[in-house]
Amino acid sequence: MTEQLAGRTTGHDELADFDTLTGRYQRELMAHCYRMSGSVHEAEDLVQETFLRAWKASASFQGRSSVRTWLYKIATNVCLTNLEGRPRRPLPAGLGTADSIAGDALESDADIPWLEPIPDAAVEVAERDTIRLAFVAALQHLPARQRAVLILRDVLRWSAAETATALDTTTAAVNSALQRAHAQLDERGLTPDTVEQDLDDAKQLMLDAYLEAFWAKDIDRIVKLLQYDATWDMPPFLNHYRGAANIGELIDKKCPGGVHDMPMLRTVANGQPAFGLYMRQPEGHFEPFHMQVLDVVGTKVRHVTAFFGAEHFRRFGLPERLPADYQPDCATDQAPTG
């Protein structure tokens, strides 16, 4: 009884200092809301709504759970309300359409709410693989409540009873939803266990070579750095491509830049290596073209998602332009991390 009262006192003390509270939980709740929504700007709004609801309800907090668990419960329900009636956020490869050939005409659809990449600096996660692009994309295939159950059970490691309480349902319903969610993800072969971990020296050297190959627009070298069955997609374009040679031809024929027209700055997105690729302009300087998020296996690139839109560069703190005399240096081309 004494321990329970002490826990309630600690929780109320924590809620009393709201600035410290938001600082402590902002980045992990951001990761949670991003997994649920697939959108960085929506996740930012959802986190703010979570703190607003928590502040309004702070007087009624009874200390039956930790403040952290209480905040996650609020955040999950905020997300579920936000997702009602909204379409999922896919990547082009997840639309179910056939692979494209490099010579096919490009088709874009700006009306689709595409999945967005998130800067590592914006989130805090216990396990990096649960924020990887492929995993978040897989979550988008699940109905919202199944998505919530899978995140609470498999990512946050909540019990079925805790999850049922958070979602105002039964443990039997939670277990059933989790089983259905696992079945859907298994069909796509997308789980946290299917993604690579930290980069070693060999992978870092491969990324150096990748940057150099784009700067030189060396198609043969780019193709050699790709896994033979690599895939490439680039929202908002509907086209997606499979096969290293096909991707090489795409870059050769469809990418407007030539030799020394495409410098890249390194960053990290979704716990994965990423590059902001700039394109030389007629005036000589370089402007944002697209952001590539790479899925690396061994010393090969298995998948590239190229996100078009200058808003991604701003979100990742990348420069709005590079001077005409800019030249990439593999050893130092690292984007800001803060």
Side-chain angles (χ1 to χ4, degrees), residues 265-266 326 328-335:
L265 290 182
R266 304 166 190 267
Y326 178 85
D329 182 339
C330 293
T332 60
D333 269 359
Q334 180 73 37

Side-chain angles (χ1 to χ4, degrees), residues 53-122:
R53 291 194 189 184
W55 179 73
K56 290 179 177 178
S58 58
S60 62
F61 176 70
Q62 298 180 349
R64 293 174 180 166
S65 64
S66 69
V67 170
R68 179 176 182 269
T69 299
W70 183 64
L71 287 172
Y72 269 101
K73 177 180 177 180
I74 295 172
T76 302
N77 284 285
V78 166
C79 289
L80 288 173
T81 299
N82 177 70
L83 290 169
E84 288 179 4
R86 292 201 176 195
R88 63 186 178 91
R89 286 184 171 269
L91 290 174
L95 294 175
T97 55
D99 300 339
S100 296
I101 303 301
D104 293 347
L106 294 176
E107 299 179 58
S108 65
D109 191 335
D111 293 329
I112 293 176
W114 298 105
L115 181 65
E116 299 172 351
I118 192 166
D120 272 31

Side-chain angles (χ1 to χ4, degrees), residues 34-35 91 115 127-142 147 150-151 154-155 182 185 190-195 270 272:
Y34 170 71
R35 291 189 193 99
L91 290 174
L115 181 65
E127 299 168 321
R128 286 176 59 199
D129 51 9
T130 64
I131 206 72
R132 296 296 176 105
L133 202 57
F135 184 59
V136 178
L139 290 175
Q140 301 306 303
H141 288 275
L142 303 176
R147 198 181 308 173
L150 185 136
I151 293 170
D154 287 2
V155 177
H182 283 162
L185 294 191
L190 293 170
T191 71
D193 299 329
T194 64
V195 296
N270 298 77
Q272 299 168 240

